[in-house]
Amino acid sequence: MSPLAAEPPPRSPDRSATSKLPYVIFQRTPDGPYWVRFSIRGEGQIRRPLETRDPTLAEQLALEAYVESKHRAKSGLRSRARTFSRVAEEFITQLRREAERKERRQFQVDQWRRIVERYFVSFFAERAIDGIIDADIHRYREWRKDYWTIGPGKDVQIIPYMRGGRQIRRPITARMRKPPSPSALRSEFVVLRLLFRFAAQQGYIKTAQVPEIHLTRVPANARPSFEAHEFTRLEQVSLERLTDAKINDHVRRDRAVLHAYCMIAALSGCRPTELKNLNWSDVLGYRECRSMPIDERDVRLRVRGKGKNRVFVPMLAAVSWFDILWNFWLKAAGREPGDDDPVFATPTGKRLGSVKKSLSELLRAAGLLTDHRGARRTAYSFRHFYISQQLIAGVDVFLLAKNAGTSSDMIERFYGQVKLERMAKELRPEWRKQ
């Protein structure tokens, strides 16, 4: 008996039993294309379109579909190969669930989603994920390096993305039109490797089919910081700009806030994001000891950034600069700042955004925009200055790492040269003549 049949009504018996074949070929409409239906242990009933109206060809395609599905099932795979884009969609959904359960940081999920959608899906698209091999990964690597220069991104002018429920349009700058840095490329390939491992966990590919994704080791590179004499110069230039008779009160206030920002950053080691998120309730013990001498103020900072939070001890010299910011708030608002008010605020009481532009002007005025290698200094340079100075002063690496919210390994990798300076006496022993 031919397995061809019209699709039975929902309550009719399965015709596979009468056809003696493990699958049934049917049409959903009298003149429509043929479909095949069969069952796979662990997956239930499978229905697939055969995309033909020719009954002879339909029988051939149905047999091929059934045999292929059974073979994949015996190999431990799903009955039908998943496309890369479908797996990528499921991967992102899984990441979102993990973020909802607080198993993963939301900002990381958002960042990974943009990488997956812009780069991975654009390249692999509808390829069957179990058909992607090592050579495809190599071709992707080269394609990604050229993306913003001669690749698909060369004509892109605006990148839209969501932030706080609002769509933001970010223009592509000339600085962005370059190959990704080794560290950026490494970070993206970490995500790609996680995606393939997810596919293996879901049974879409076997573990042996996960392509080899080499993570190029990024060489340790000293961060752009300040020498002690350079920071002293920056501080002097900043104060001189504050006393400039040609500026108005509004500009003077902005420069004073920037000066306080630089000093607190350099004397606490805070990350820029941590400073931006800082509220007055996070300056622990400040309200109670405002009237006390500086050297008696036992202030701690509670900061949030990079999806983490910590409480740490700043240098005592940082405390007085909080007084400046407190007084600015009093003058502008006519009241003391509340616990939820931002430490770094605009005259209207809103949280201060990026200081990139104003800081660049200050660094340029001091002749310190770049370090001796030509690396551009940023707000992060104050954190590196803090860590360097603490190492030179002999602070234990483990304690410093805990206070700065990093690892001792990171300090060893990126600040090793500073440790050499700290050990200068040990490196100059008295040699004895034999």
Side-chain angles (χ1 to χ4, degrees):
M1 180 182 293
S2 170
L4 295 173
E7 183 178 15
R11 296 182 180 277
S12 63
D14 192 331
R15 297 192 180 187
S16 61
T18 59
S19 67
K20 304 300 182 181
L21 291 173
Y23 54 88
V24 170
I25 302 172
F26 62 90
Q27 292 172 292
R28 290 187 167 182
T29 59
D31 297 324
Y34 285 100
W35 288 63
V36 64
R37 181 182 71 225
F38 52 85
S39 296
I40 296 293
R41 183 185 295 271
E43 294 188 52
Q45 192 175 87
I46 308 295
R47 296 189 183 197
R48 291 191 188 172
L50 300 176
E51 299 179 350
T52 182
R53 290 180 172 82
D54 182 342
T56 303
L57 180 58
E59 290 189 24
Q60 177 185 339
L61 294 175
L63 177 61
E64 291 176 358
Y66 176 75
V67 171
E68 178 192 2
S69 296
K70 291 292 288 184
H71 174 72
R72 291 178 60 84
K74 287 182 179 179
S75 300
L77 301 173
R78 294 294 184 95
S79 63
R80 188 171 189 178
R82 284 287 205 278
T83 64
F84 182 91
S85 60
R86 174 76 178 276
V87 176
E89 182 179 340
E90 294 180 20
F91 176 65
I92 293 171
T93 300
Q94 176 65 24
L95 292 177
R96 285 172 172 158
R97 284 200 293 267
E98 292 174 1
E100 290 171 358
R101 296 194 297 261
K102 308 299 182 184
E103 298 170 358
R104 196 176 294 278
R105 299 190 292 275
Q106 184 61 50
F107 90 93
Q108 185 182 60
V109 174
D110 294 339
Q111 184 183 56
W112 287 5
R113 177 186 58 79
R114 290 192 289 268
I115 291 172
V116 170
E117 293 176 350
R118 176 170 293 279
Y119 302 122
F120 301 166
V121 174
S122 295
F123 184 82
F124 296 108
E126 299 307 308
R127 287 276 304 274
I129 194 163
D130 60 357
I132 297 174
I133 59 177
D134 296 354
D136 297 314
I137 301 299
H138 175 73
R139 283 190 286 271
Y140 168 78
R141 188 186 297 269
E142 295 304 308
W143 175 88
R144 173 63 184 95
K145 291 178 180 178
D146 294 334
Y147 184 88
W148 292 108
T149 54
I150 60 175
K154 65 181 176 64
D155 297 321
V156 176
Q157 301 299 325
I158 298 291
I159 297 179
Y161 63 95
M162 300 300 294
R163 178 191 292 171
R166 295 174 51 238
Q167 187 179 68
I168 307 296
R169 293 168 59 85
R170 178 187 181 188
I172 300 297
T173 63
R175 290 181 61 191
M176 296 174 63
R177 295 198 182 280
K178 60 181 181 181
S181 67
S183 61
L185 199 60
R186 177 185 172 87
S187 297
E188 292 177 13
F189 270 87
V190 167
V191 181
L192 185 59
R193 189 162 65 177
L194 286 174
L195 193 153
F196 275 101
R197 287 178 177 174
F198 169 81
Q201 292 167 355
Q202 299 302 310
Y204 302 144
I205 58 176
K206 291 188 288 187
T207 302
Q209 290 178 294
V210 174
E212 188 71 29
I213 300 177
H214 296 286
L215 301 179
T216 306
R217 185 173 178 83
V218 179
N221 187 25
R223 309 299 179 88
S225 179
F226 299 97
E227 297 291 338
H229 68 89
E230 290 176 325
F231 184 77
T232 298
R233 171 169 172 73
L234 182 71
E235 185 179 3
Q236 291 173 344
V237 171
S238 180
L239 290 173
E240 289 171 2
R241 294 171 82 237
L242 279 174
T243 57
D244 187 349
K246 298 178 182 178
I247 61 175
N248 57 38
D249 290 342
H250 178 75
V251 174
R252 198 180 312 281
R253 180 197 182 278
D254 288 347
R255 290 184 178 181
V257 171
L258 177 64
H259 186 83
Y261 181 97
C262 296
M263 299 306 296
I264 292 174
L267 295 167
S268 68
C270 278
R271 297 180 176 92
T273 304
E274 293 171 344
L275 289 174
K276 180 181 178 180
N277 294 336
L278 198 65
N279 294 331
W280 283 105
S281 61
D282 300 317
V283 189
L284 305 178
Y286 178 77
R287 291 182 186 273
E288 294 77 10
C289 67
R290 282 194 62 240
S291 60
M292 298 169 62
I294 292 294
D295 58 357
E296 295 180 16
R297 298 196 197 182
D298 188 19
V299 170
R300 302 288 190 273
L301 296 183
R302 178 177 56 204
V303 294
R304 298 170 297 281
K306 296 188 70 174
K308 301 178 182 179
N309 61 79
R310 73 184 193 281
V311 175
F312 71 97
V313 182
M315 299 290 286
L316 281 174
V319 178
S320 62
W321 298 103
F322 287 101
D323 295 340
I324 302 295
L325 299 172
W326 180 280
N327 291 332
F328 274 137
W329 184 282
L330 277 175
K331 183 177 179 181
R335 63 172 177 84
E336 292 186 352
D339 285 348
D340 295 332
D341 289 324
V343 171
F344 294 97
T346 66
T348 58
K350 293 183 178 180
R351 193 174 301 277
L352 189 66
S354 173
V355 298
K356 181 178 180 179
K357 184 177 179 180
S358 58
L359 178 58
S360 293
E361 291 176 356
L362 172 59
L363 291 169
R364 189 176 290 108
L368 297 171
L369 190 59
T370 59
D371 67 5
H372 62 93
R373 302 163 301 164
R376 192 183 182 98
R377 292 186 172 100
T378 65
Y380 247 103
S381 297
F382 297 112
R383 174 175 169 82
H384 308 320
F385 172 73
Y386 166 83
I387 293 176
S388 299
Q389 290 300 109
Q390 293 287 66
L391 287 172
I392 292 171
V395 175
D396 180 79
V397 173
F398 177 77
L399 291 178
L400 176 58
K402 293 290 288 183
N403 207 52
T406 186
S407 67
S408 54
D409 177 64
M410 288 293 289
I411 291 180
E412 293 280 357
R413 286 181 60 199
F414 293 101
Y415 300 93
Q417 188 60 38
V418 176
K419 290 190 68 178
L420 287 179
E421 181 178 344
R422 168 182 150 192
M423 302 296 290
K425 291 183 179 180
E426 287 80 357
L427 291 170
R428 292 170 179 164
E430 188 71 28
W431 287 5
R432 296 180 180 180
K433 294 182 180 180
Q434 299 295 332

